[in-house]
Amino acid sequence: MLDQLLQMVKEYGENEVVQNPAVPNEHNNAVMSEASYAVAGTLQQAIANGNVQELMGLFQQEDNVMSNPLAQQAQGSFVENITSKLGIDGNTAKGIAGSLLPMIMQTLVKRTNSTAPEDSGFNISSLIGSLTGGGQQGGLDIGNLISQFTGGGNSGGGGFDLNNIINQVKGNNEQQPGNAGGGLMDMIQGFFGK
């Protein structure tokens, strides 16, 4: 699923980054890498911190994605990184973030929630699996946990325990040392040819 996210960023980045005269051509791939990392890294951090409720909330806000704190965090992280790392002007960075990040987040949420055959690769289980090192490791079946969460509704019903899910996701992430920020960013930069 991460590959599909990266492809989406590359597609939207063509107009918002590559065709943008305010972004030096030598920074095009780096800006798109930072956009990808802002989204994937923010989601990965939410999982690592056990912030499953906000993550699920994001995927339930199809029409107003950018009102979610995780989407806002991703946007802020993107602006900060391209200004500090690449020297992109602050107003230019905010302009790119204001157009590119909402498109990415909106499409990610919409396609993840879609039942259309062409969107079958987009689902919350595979997204979380790709950010934690796989869908089922160490006895943790993320797909099952997510279906319990989305079907359970609250922590009081049918033996469903949100805290248990958060602890399992956190524990699984801690067992995946290769998924630290550097590893994720290296993979993203490899995709964009940096």
Side-chain angles (χ1 to χ4, degrees), residues 57-109:
L58 175 69
F59 287 93
Q60 294 169 350
Q61 291 181 292
E62 197 166 310
D63 294 330
N64 197 13
V65 172
M66 295 311 291
S67 68
N68 182 281
L70 294 178
Q72 293 170 3
Q73 182 181 339
Q75 193 170 23
S77 172
F78 173 68
V79 169
E80 183 180 323
N81 286 340
I82 66 171
T83 55
S84 66
K85 293 179 182 178
L86 304 174
I88 304 289
D89 173 73
N91 288 331
T92 299
K94 288 176 186 173
I96 295 168
S99 58
L100 182 60
L101 268 290
M103 282 192 292
I104 294 167
M105 298 298 287
Q106 188 84 24
T107 303
L108 178 64
V109 169

Side-chain angles (χ1 to χ4, degrees), residues 103-185:
M103 282 192 292
I104 294 167
M105 298 298 287
Q106 188 84 24
T107 303
L108 178 64
V109 169
K110 189 175 218 166
R111 293 187 74 185
T112 299
N113 291 329
S114 172
T115 57
E118 63 270 15
D119 293 331
S120 64
F122 282 85
N123 63 66
I124 193 72
S125 178
S126 64
L127 173 65
I128 291 175
S130 69
L131 295 173
T132 59
Q136 182 169 355
Q137 293 194 8
L140 174 66
D141 182 350
I142 291 172
N144 183 40
L145 292 174
I146 296 305
S147 67
Q148 284 179 24
F149 182 84
T150 57
N154 64 46
S155 61
F160 170 77
D161 183 359
L162 180 58
N163 289 327
N164 185 39
I165 290 175
I166 290 170
N167 290 334
Q168 288 185 45
V169 170
K170 283 175 69 172
N172 187 56
N173 194 57
E174 289 165 4
Q175 294 171 12
Q176 303 298 323
N179 288 328
L184 179 61
M185 187 53 150

Side-chain angles (χ1 to χ4, degrees), residues 40-55 70 73 166 169-170 173:
T42 297
L43 298 178
Q44 185 182 50
Q45 191 63 41
I47 294 165
N49 291 336
N51 203 351
V52 176
Q53 246 177 331
E54 262 184 23
L55 182 66
L70 294 178
Q73 182 181 339
I166 290 170
V169 170
K170 283 175 69 172
N173 194 57

Side-chain angles (χ1 to χ4, degrees), residues 11-25:
E11 192 177 300
Y12 289 140
E14 182 63 34
N15 284 333
E16 303 301 320
V17 178
V18 176
Q19 301 299 322
N20 187 336
V23 178
N25 288 336

